[in-house]
Amino acid sequence: MLFKNNASVAAIHWALRLTVTALLVVGFAEPAAAQSYEPARPASATAVAISSPYAWLYNFHSGKCLTVPGAAHAHGVQVRQFSCLNRNNLGWQPVTGFSGSQYFIRSENQRKPNEQCLTVNRRASGAAVVQEPCGKNPANPPVSQRWQFIRASDRHNYGWDLIQSVWSGFCVSITNSSKSNNAEVRQSTCYRTKGTLHTNGWFIFVAPGTKLPCPCAGPRGPQTFGTGIRMKR
């Protein structure tokens, strides 16, 4: 579905997507035990649930979600993956309005005027994906915070996308294809060749509590590469 650069239409489409994914929820509870513990939160921070329109940013390969570790507020904190909990440091929102095909992705961990966005700190492969203050002009965000979605697969009846940096041309991925909590998130080559599956770079935005059948290795097979999921504000 092509994106129309209209804020009102985008808002409706984004709300509808979260509504649809929410229907898949069969009950939500935090895991009784995780592989490791999330770093401690600042003394001033308390666990706050994710609120709409923010959503999980869920990885196909690991079955885990991107998080700002420890709900840290410092600039430059590297994003990691963690068990998908209903906490606002795991809440993300893709936002457009400045381009029909590019987005910035803001974290719910901090709200305006201190909100921070998903950022790549260098153009090189292997560069860390971090949080940095969102650009002051939403109509013209920094190029290091601009992303585009490229459809990678429709496995398990969900649309999985690569998240490609407009600045570097590389894609968000989980370091070493790890399935462990606290694994680092970095940028690496966007594998778009049919028959070559690197599913540690496949992501989807879903409503908190959505039950997906992952971690997923997925049988090797045809991939489709199109224009992406076009998440809306």
Side-chain angles (χ1 to χ4, degrees):
M1 178 176 61
L2 295 178
F3 173 74
K4 297 181 179 179
N5 190 13
N6 180 292
S8 298
V9 173
I12 295 172
H13 288 181
W14 170 244
L16 288 174
R17 180 174 178 82
L18 285 184
T19 300
V20 171
T21 52
L23 292 175
L24 299 172
V25 177
V26 295
F28 176 78
E30 295 186 358
Q35 295 177 2
S36 59
Y37 293 99
E38 186 179 21
R41 290 168 170 259
S44 60
T46 57
V48 178
I50 297 171
S51 60
S52 179
Y54 294 88
W56 282 341
L57 186 42
Y58 185 98
N59 182 259
F60 179 96
H61 179 73
S62 66
K64 297 185 185 295
C65 293
L66 298 198
T67 182
V68 177
H73 289 174
H75 301 169
V77 171
Q78 186 169 8
V79 175
R80 297 174 181 263
Q81 72 174 6
F82 202 79
S83 299
C84 298
L85 308 177
N86 192 7
R87 296 178 180 173
N88 67 349
N89 58 316
L90 286 89
W92 303 91
Q93 182 194 15
V95 182
T96 191
F98 59 93
S99 169
S101 61
Q102 298 177 10
Y103 298 76
F104 61 95
I105 302 173
R106 60 189 176 196
S107 168
E108 192 184 12
N109 189 46
Q110 283 182 280
R111 293 296 190 96
K112 291 181 178 180
N114 301 312
E115 64 182 355
Q116 300 201 58
C117 287
L118 200 70
T119 308
V120 61
N121 64 5
R122 292 183 297 114
R123 296 186 70 180
S125 178
V129 175
V130 302
Q131 68 171 8
E132 289 287 0
C134 300
K136 294 183 179 181
N137 182 4
N140 187 29
V143 67
S144 60
Q145 295 181 351
R146 296 188 182 205
W147 306 91
Q148 57 188 3
F149 299 99
I150 303 172
R151 178 56 51 84
S153 177
D154 293 309
R155 295 282 170 79
H156 307 300
N157 297 316
Y158 290 90
W160 303 91
D161 287 329
L162 302 175
I163 304 175
Q164 184 181 47
S165 168
V166 173
W167 184 42
S168 69
F170 291 111
C171 286
V172 175
S173 66
I174 308 301
T175 302
N176 297 325
S177 298
S178 175
K179 294 185 178 181
S180 298
N181 281 341
N182 296 318
E184 296 176 340
V185 178
R186 296 183 178 273
Q187 67 173 8
S188 63
T189 301
C190 302
Y191 289 96
R192 300 179 59 182
T193 304
K194 291 183 178 181
T196 302
L197 298 184
H198 294 264
T199 57
N200 61 320
W202 291 10
F203 292 91
I204 188 173
F205 289 90
V206 291
T210 302
K211 302 296 184 181
L212 289 92
C214 294
C216 308
R220 289 183 178 270
Q223 299 180 79
T224 58
F225 295 99
T227 54
I229 54 175
R230 295 294 181 266
M231 302 299 294
K232 312 302 192 300
R233 181 180 349 213

